[in-house]
Amino acid sequence: MILLGIETSCDETSCAIIKNNIVLSNIVKTQEIHRQFGGVVPDLASKDHEKKILVIVYECIKDANIELTDIDGIAVTYGSGLLGSLIVGLNFAKGLAVGLNIPLIGISHLEGHLASGFIDNTPNFPCMSLIVSGGHTQIWYLESIDKFDVISNTVDDAAGEAFDKGARILGLGYPGGPEIEKLAKSGDPFKYKFPLPNVKNNKFNFSFSGLKTALLYKKNKLDNSEKKYSINNLAASYQHAIIIALLTKLELALSHYNVDNIIIVGGVSANLYFREYADNLKEKYNLNIIFPGLKYCTDNAAMIAMAGYLKLSQKKTYSNLSIEPNPNIIYK
Ligand code: KG4
Ligand code: ZN
């Protein structure tokens, strides 16, 4: 089965071809146009997807060494994301599915991130997934690919957002995660202490907005003092605080749910310091911790195609040409 994946939920135009569970090609074009604004401008994003999508689909088919007519189905992100951006990908996919007379499978962006853990890996069920992206920070307990409970959510910012907002405070570029990680490499993660976020009501939940405020205060204080300080130490300590906050909750969830496979996905899972720290849990809990390959952590269409493949192999999905874009799919 050959599937085309399409992902245009935010500022990446991405298309991929997979053959069963093997990725044949995966092209991700990140829109540069937003850099000057320090964040994604929705109208510019949809316009840019519109301009590029056809060319990228053809490039992707060429890379995979197949013909357009070899495609057996299309998996496309229908939400969450920017409405205009979703409409471009979804309508393109619908048109192509009608033209080729093949099934169209709508995939939610988070299902896509989850599926990235199944590219080149075969996690066992039941398992747990920590999804850490720019918009979400959740822990799912999965009995199967389509049967899961959300056991943890963020009450304010997502972990990726904490990196992005922290980077802005430190005067770094967007996206903030890779920028902070770069500086942190030559910084001392134990130089400054940040409070471990504490969430009332649901002990499994995450909170990151306090960390960002603590960073702002710390930076202002350091800026106003006579002494010189290293921004690298500040970045490293802040990164450390985010990672510890994530792993503390993951450990708490682990002590309540009996799993031996954990899938950690989403943009923040590309962070190497995070990967190293998470590895410490492996021995302690006798776990198999699965991180996707680095190119499948941040937004990409291979994960969307993979989610389509997983759905089709469950035979629990069907073609749905009337699927509508949903900017805000809520899992709780
Ligand atoms: O999954 P993703 O590409 O898009 C969303 O679905 O949001 O995640 C993007 C987020 C951004 O907040 C970005 O700063 C963060 O992932 N990110 C990282 C790293 N690479 C991307 N955070 C920490 N370390 C990284 N290396
Ligand atoms: Zn994403």
Side-chain angles (χ1 to χ4, degrees), residues 57-87:
V57 166
Y58 274 120
E59 232 178 276
C60 187
I61 287 168
K62 195 169 157 228
D63 273 10
N65 214 2
I66 62 160
E67 304 288 332
L68 185 64
T69 47
D70 291 332
I71 299 172
D72 298 310
I74 304 175
V76 59
T77 310
Y78 72 94
S80 301
L82 301 170
L83 181 62
S85 293
L86 290 167
I87 287 175

Short mmCIF file of all heavy atoms in Angstrom, two decimals, residues 57-87:
data_model
loop_
_atom_site.label_atom_id
_atom_site.label_comp_id
_atom_site.label_asym_id
_atom_site.label_seq_id
_atom_site.Cartn_x
_atom_site.Cartn_y
_atom_site.Cartn_z
N VAL A 57 4.51 18.10 -3.68
CA VAL A 57 3.93 16.77 -3.94
C VAL A 57 4.67 16.10 -5.10
O VAL A 57 5.07 14.94 -5.01
CB VAL A 57 2.41 16.86 -4.22
CG1 VAL A 57 1.88 15.57 -4.83
CG2 VAL A 57 1.65 17.17 -2.94
N TYR A 58 4.90 16.85 -6.16
CA TYR A 58 5.59 16.26 -7.31
C TYR A 58 7.03 15.87 -6.97
O TYR A 58 7.52 14.82 -7.36
CB TYR A 58 5.56 17.21 -8.52
CG TYR A 58 4.28 17.04 -9.33
CD1 TYR A 58 3.40 18.09 -9.52
CD2 TYR A 58 3.96 15.80 -9.87
CE1 TYR A 58 2.21 17.92 -10.24
CE2 TYR A 58 2.78 15.62 -10.60
CZ TYR A 58 1.92 16.68 -10.76
OH TYR A 58 0.76 16.50 -11.47
N GLU A 59 7.69 16.74 -6.19
CA GLU A 59 9.08 16.47 -5.77
C GLU A 59 9.15 15.18 -4.96
O GLU A 59 10.04 14.35 -5.11
CB GLU A 59 9.53 17.62 -4.86
CG GLU A 59 10.85 18.27 -5.26
CD GLU A 59 11.15 19.43 -4.32
OE1 GLU A 59 10.62 20.54 -4.56
OE2 GLU A 59 11.86 19.21 -3.34
N CYS A 60 8.15 15.04 -4.12
CA CYS A 60 8.09 13.91 -3.19
C CYS A 60 7.84 12.59 -3.95
O CYS A 60 8.43 11.55 -3.63
CB CYS A 60 6.92 14.26 -2.28
SG CYS A 60 6.68 13.23 -0.97
N ILE A 61 7.00 12.67 -4.98
CA ILE A 61 6.73 11.49 -5.81
C ILE A 61 7.99 11.08 -6.57
O ILE A 61 8.34 9.91 -6.66
CB ILE A 61 5.57 11.82 -6.79
CG1 ILE A 61 4.26 11.86 -6.01
CG2 ILE A 61 5.49 10.82 -7.93
CD1 ILE A 61 3.11 12.45 -6.78
N LYS A 62 8.69 12.12 -7.04
CA LYS A 62 9.94 11.87 -7.78
C LYS A 62 10.98 11.22 -6.86
O LYS A 62 11.62 10.22 -7.22
CB LYS A 62 10.45 13.20 -8.33
CG LYS A 62 11.50 13.06 -9.39
CD LYS A 62 11.75 14.40 -10.07
CE LYS A 62 13.13 14.37 -10.69
NZ LYS A 62 13.91 15.54 -10.39
N ASP A 63 11.13 11.78 -5.65
CA ASP A 63 12.09 11.24 -4.67
C ASP A 63 11.79 9.79 -4.32
O ASP A 63 12.69 9.00 -4.05
CB ASP A 63 11.98 12.01 -3.34
CG ASP A 63 12.85 13.24 -3.34
OD1 ASP A 63 13.38 13.57 -4.41
OD2 ASP A 63 12.99 13.85 -2.26
N ALA A 64 10.50 9.46 -4.28
CA ALA A 64 10.10 8.10 -3.89
C ALA A 64 10.22 7.13 -5.06
O ALA A 64 10.02 5.92 -4.90
CB ALA A 64 8.67 8.11 -3.37
N ASN A 65 10.49 7.71 -6.25
CA ASN A 65 10.64 6.90 -7.44
C ASN A 65 9.35 6.16 -7.81
O ASN A 65 9.38 4.97 -8.14
CB ASN A 65 11.78 5.90 -7.22
CG ASN A 65 12.53 5.64 -8.50
OD1 ASN A 65 12.19 6.24 -9.53
ND2 ASN A 65 13.48 4.72 -8.46
N ILE A 66 8.24 6.84 -7.69
CA ILE A 66 6.94 6.26 -8.08
C ILE A 66 6.23 7.22 -9.04
O ILE A 66 6.72 8.31 -9.29
CB ILE A 66 6.03 6.00 -6.84
CG1 ILE A 66 5.71 7.32 -6.12
CG2 ILE A 66 6.65 5.00 -5.87
CD1 ILE A 66 4.49 7.26 -5.22
N GLU A 67 5.07 6.79 -9.54
CA GLU A 67 4.24 7.65 -10.39
C GLU A 67 3.05 8.12 -9.56
O GLU A 67 2.65 7.44 -8.60
CB GLU A 67 3.68 6.86 -11.58
CG GLU A 67 4.72 6.18 -12.45
CD GLU A 67 5.49 7.17 -13.29
OE1 GLU A 67 4.92 8.24 -13.61
OE2 GLU A 67 6.68 6.89 -13.57
N LEU A 68 2.46 9.23 -9.95
CA LEU A 68 1.29 9.75 -9.24
C LEU A 68 0.20 8.67 -9.12
O LEU A 68 -0.45 8.52 -8.08
CB LEU A 68 0.74 10.97 -10.01
CG LEU A 68 -0.41 11.76 -9.39
CD1 LEU A 68 0.01 12.40 -8.08
CD2 LEU A 68 -0.93 12.82 -10.34
N THR A 69 0.04 7.91 -10.20
CA THR A 69 -1.04 6.90 -10.23
C THR A 69 -0.73 5.66 -9.38
O THR A 69 -1.57 4.79 -9.24
CB THR A 69 -1.31 6.47 -11.69
OG1 THR A 69 -0.04 6.20 -12.30
CG2 THR A 69 -2.03 7.55 -12.47
N ASP A 70 0.49 5.59 -8.82
CA ASP A 70 0.80 4.46 -7.92
C ASP A 70 0.21 4.67 -6.52
O ASP A 70 0.17 3.75 -5.71
CB ASP A 70 2.33 4.29 -7.75
CG ASP A 70 3.00 3.82 -9.03
OD1 ASP A 70 2.32 3.13 -9.81
OD2 ASP A 70 4.18 4.15 -9.24
N ILE A 71 -0.19 5.91 -6.21
CA ILE A 71 -0.67 6.22 -4.85
C ILE A 71 -2.03 5.56 -4.60
O ILE A 71 -2.96 5.70 -5.38
CB ILE A 71 -0.77 7.75 -4.65
CG1 ILE A 71 0.61 8.40 -4.84
CG2 ILE A 71 -1.32 8.10 -3.28
CD1 ILE A 71 0.58 9.92 -4.86
N ASP A 72 -2.10 4.83 -3.47
CA ASP A 72 -3.34 4.10 -3.14
C ASP A 72 -4.26 4.86 -2.19
O ASP A 72 -5.41 4.48 -1.99
CB ASP A 72 -2.98 2.77 -2.45
CG ASP A 72 -2.17 1.87 -3.36
OD1 ASP A 72 -2.60 1.68 -4.50
OD2 ASP A 72 -1.10 1.39 -2.92
N GLY A 73 -3.74 5.90 -1.54
CA GLY A 73 -4.57 6.66 -0.59
C GLY A 73 -3.84 7.89 -0.12
O GLY A 73 -2.61 7.98 -0.24
N ILE A 74 -4.61 8.84 0.43
CA ILE A 74 -4.00 10.09 0.92
C ILE A 74 -4.38 10.30 2.38
O ILE A 74 -5.56 10.22 2.74
CB ILE A 74 -4.47 11.31 0.08
CG1 ILE A 74 -4.17 11.09 -1.40
CG2 ILE A 74 -3.80 12.59 0.58
CD1 ILE A 74 -4.69 12.18 -2.31
N ALA A 75 -3.37 10.54 3.22
CA ALA A 75 -3.61 10.88 4.62
C ALA A 75 -3.26 12.35 4.78
O ALA A 75 -2.19 12.78 4.37
CB ALA A 75 -2.73 10.02 5.53
N VAL A 76 -4.18 13.11 5.37
CA VAL A 76 -3.97 14.56 5.47
C VAL A 76 -4.38 15.08 6.84
O VAL A 76 -5.34 14.61 7.43
CB VAL A 76 -4.74 15.30 4.33
CG1 VAL A 76 -6.24 15.03 4.40
CG2 VAL A 76 -4.50 16.80 4.38
N THR A 77 -3.61 16.05 7.33
CA THR A 77 -3.95 16.66 8.63
C THR A 77 -5.20 17.54 8.47
O THR A 77 -5.21 18.43 7.62
CB THR A 77 -2.79 17.56 9.12
OG1 THR A 77 -1.59 16.83 9.02
CG2 THR A 77 -3.02 18.03 10.54
N TYR A 78 -6.22 17.29 9.30
CA TYR A 78 -7.43 18.15 9.24
C TYR A 78 -7.53 19.04 10.47
O TYR A 78 -8.41 19.88 10.58
CB TYR A 78 -8.69 17.29 9.05
CG TYR A 78 -9.10 16.52 10.29
CD1 TYR A 78 -10.04 17.03 11.18
CD2 TYR A 78 -8.54 15.28 10.57
CE1 TYR A 78 -10.40 16.33 12.32
CE2 TYR A 78 -8.89 14.57 11.71
CZ TYR A 78 -9.82 15.10 12.58
OH TYR A 78 -10.18 14.41 13.71
N GLY A 79 -6.61 18.89 11.45
CA GLY A 79 -6.60 19.73 12.65
C GLY A 79 -5.68 19.09 13.66
O GLY A 79 -5.21 17.98 13.43
N SER A 80 -5.34 19.73 14.74
CA SER A 80 -5.52 21.14 15.01
C SER A 80 -4.50 21.95 14.20
O SER A 80 -3.54 21.38 13.68
CB SER A 80 -5.27 21.42 16.49
OG SER A 80 -6.15 20.68 17.31
N GLY A 81 -4.71 23.25 14.16
CA GLY A 81 -3.77 24.09 13.44
C GLY A 81 -4.44 25.37 13.01
O GLY A 81 -5.54 25.70 13.45
N LEU A 82 -3.77 26.09 12.12
CA LEU A 82 -4.31 27.34 11.61
C LEU A 82 -5.35 27.02 10.54
O LEU A 82 -5.07 26.24 9.62
CB LEU A 82 -3.19 28.19 11.00
CG LEU A 82 -2.04 28.55 11.94
CD1 LEU A 82 -0.88 29.18 11.17
CD2 LEU A 82 -2.54 29.51 13.02
N LEU A 83 -6.52 27.62 10.67
CA LEU A 83 -7.63 27.27 9.77
C LEU A 83 -7.25 27.39 8.29
O LEU A 83 -7.42 26.45 7.52
CB LEU A 83 -8.86 28.14 10.09
CG LEU A 83 -10.09 27.86 9.22
CD1 LEU A 83 -10.58 26.43 9.42
CD2 LEU A 83 -11.20 28.85 9.53
N GLY A 84 -6.71 28.54 7.91
CA GLY A 84 -6.37 28.76 6.50
C GLY A 84 -5.35 27.75 6.00
O GLY A 84 -5.45 27.25 4.87
N SER A 85 -4.38 27.43 6.84
CA SER A 85 -3.33 26.49 6.45
C SER A 85 -3.90 25.08 6.29
O SER A 85 -3.57 24.36 5.35
CB SER A 85 -2.22 26.46 7.50
OG SER A 85 -1.55 27.70 7.52
N LEU A 86 -4.78 24.71 7.23
CA LEU A 86 -5.41 23.38 7.15
C LEU A 86 -6.25 23.27 5.87
O LEU A 86 -6.22 22.24 5.19
CB LEU A 86 -6.33 23.15 8.36
CG LEU A 86 -5.63 22.97 9.71
CD1 LEU A 86 -6.63 23.09 10.85
CD2 LEU A 86 -4.90 21.63 9.78
N ILE A 87 -6.98 24.35 5.54
CA ILE A 87 -7.86 24.32 4.35
C ILE A 87 -7.05 24.05 3.09
O ILE A 87 -7.46 23.28 2.22
CB ILE A 87 -8.66 25.65 4.24
CG1 ILE A 87 -9.74 25.69 5.32
CG2 ILE A 87 -9.28 25.80 2.86
CD1 ILE A 87 -10.51 27.01 5.38
#
